[in-house]
């Protein structure tokens, strides 16, 4: 998703008055040519807004809320649900937790605390969407955004979701507006107001049976993903063989 170049320049004049584009880009780690191209097209990416905001040490969510399409972002900030927090724990970390608990039960000791992988993980978009519901969320999202279901599925399968779709998903589901931007990797949990250690706390209080059930769901989804990749690879190989 992008914001208009006019609104971006107005915002930039407010947060970095008198600062040249070259200086802004250097501080934000953006190529000067990249910003020039975006301004020339009349649209600036949300990632650019985030990078500039960070370089100016500004609250990212509040910065985004300046722009029309994100007006409700800051006021709609809310703590993630336990389901959302668990959705942002990788498959491997869930399995490690299960193994740690099992080993502790066998030895009669407390389970070792595992170090969680950073967000996003390789299926963080899909798991977040599954966590927030409703069951027909993807259908509602496709209809309301005017995006073909197959195009939406392609984004999710590739672990991508535009900021616009992430925000729309949060609106439909009634969860914190910024939470989807965390799942996509656009902003950090801290920038969205998530408490430090909240994922680990949600994991610790998840019952063994629920944890195993969640891991089983993840493994089933992973199996489908791997099967699809294998089928795609086999189809590509067949094409090459026919061409050869």
């Amino acid at each position: 998703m992008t914001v208009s170049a006019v609104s971006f320049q107005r915002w930039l004049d407010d947060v970095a008055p008198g600062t040249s584009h070259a200086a802004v880009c250097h501080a934000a780690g953006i190529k000067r040519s990249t910003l020039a191209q975006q301004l020339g097209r009349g649209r600036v990416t949300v990632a650019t807004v985030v990078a500039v905001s960070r370089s100016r040490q500004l609250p990212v969510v509040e910065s985004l809320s300046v722009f029309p399409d994100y007006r409700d972002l800051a006021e709609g900030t809310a703590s993630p649900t336990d389901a959302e927090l668990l959705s942002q724990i990788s498959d491997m970390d869930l399995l490690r937790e299960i193994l740690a608990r099992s080993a502790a039960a066998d030895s009669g000791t407390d389970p070792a605390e595992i170090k969680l992988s950073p967000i996003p993980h390789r299926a963080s978009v899909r798991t977040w969407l599954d966590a927030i519901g409703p069951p027909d969320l993807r259908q509602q999202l496709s209809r309301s955004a005017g995006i073909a279901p197959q195009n939406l599925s392609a984004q999710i399968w590739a672990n991508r979701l535009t900021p616009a779709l992430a925000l729309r998903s949060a609106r439909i589901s009634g969860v914190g507006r910024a939470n989807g931007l965390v799942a996509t990797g656009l902003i950090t949990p801290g920038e969205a107001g998530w408490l430090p250690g909240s994922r680990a706390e949600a994991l610790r209080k998840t019952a063994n049976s629920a944890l195993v059930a969640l891991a089983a769901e993840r493994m089933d989804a992973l199996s489908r993903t791997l099967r699809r990749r294998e089928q795609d690879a086999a189809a590509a190989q067949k094409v090459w063989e026919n061409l050869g």
Side-chain angles (χ1 to χ4, degrees):
M1 189 176 181
T2 59
V3 300
S4 76
V6 173
S7 60
F8 174 81
Q9 187 60 62
R10 188 182 302 120
W11 170 75
L12 191 60
D13 290 341
D14 287 339
V15 301
T19 307
S20 68
H21 285 173
V24 167
C25 290
H26 178 73
I30 303 170
K31 290 183 178 179
R32 176 68 182 88
S33 59
T34 298
L35 180 58
Q37 289 172 0
Q38 292 178 13
L39 292 173
R41 289 194 298 264
R43 307 296 301 179
V44 176
T45 67
V46 173
T48 295
V49 177
V50 171
V52 173
S53 181
R54 287 171 177 163
S55 72
R56 307 298 297 182
Q57 298 183 335
L58 299 171
V60 173
V61 169
E62 291 183 13
S63 293
L64 289 173
S65 298
V66 169
F67 300 94
D69 290 333
Y70 290 86
R71 291 291 189 202
D72 63 340
L73 186 59
E75 66 185 30
T77 298
S79 298
T81 63
D82 284 346
E84 286 181 282
L85 291 168
L86 291 173
S87 79
Q88 297 311 298
I89 297 176
S90 72
D91 298 349
M92 290 302 298
D93 285 347
L94 289 179
L95 295 177
R96 289 190 185 99
E97 177 70 13
I98 291 172
L99 291 175
R101 292 187 185 188
S102 178
D106 290 343
S107 62
T109 60
D110 292 331
E113 185 173 346
I114 66 170
K115 182 179 179 180
L116 298 180
S117 305
I119 304 172
H121 58 78
R122 64 181 176 182
S124 56
V125 168
R126 176 184 56 77
T127 54
W128 178 70
L129 291 172
D130 290 343
I132 63 176
D136 65 341
L137 173 59
R138 288 168 173 78
Q139 290 85 348
Q140 289 193 49
L141 187 57
S142 176
R143 289 194 301 269
S144 64
I147 180 174
Q150 60 269 28
N151 292 339
L152 176 61
S153 295
Q155 282 195 47
I156 297 171
W157 184 77
N159 204 34
R160 293 195 302 267
L161 200 64
T162 66
L165 290 175
L167 182 55
R168 190 181 292 267
S169 300
R171 288 170 178 154
I172 292 173
S173 302
V175 298
R177 298 286 194 271
N179 294 350
L181 303 183
V182 175
T184 63
L186 180 67
I187 65 175
T188 67
E191 289 169 341
W194 295 19
L195 294 176
S198 55
R199 288 192 301 156
E201 175 61 26
L203 181 60
R204 278 195 297 270
K205 66 183 183 182
T206 300
N208 290 339
S209 58
L211 184 61
V212 171
L214 177 59
E217 291 176 7
R218 295 279 194 92
M219 291 301 99
D220 183 59
L222 178 59
S223 175
R224 293 195 301 270
T225 297
L226 293 175
R227 191 179 307 116
R228 177 175 177 178
R229 289 176 179 171
E230 290 166 355
Q231 291 170 347
D232 290 345
Q237 181 62 33
K238 189 173 183 178
V239 170
W240 282 110
E241 289 174 354
N242 291 336
L243 290 175

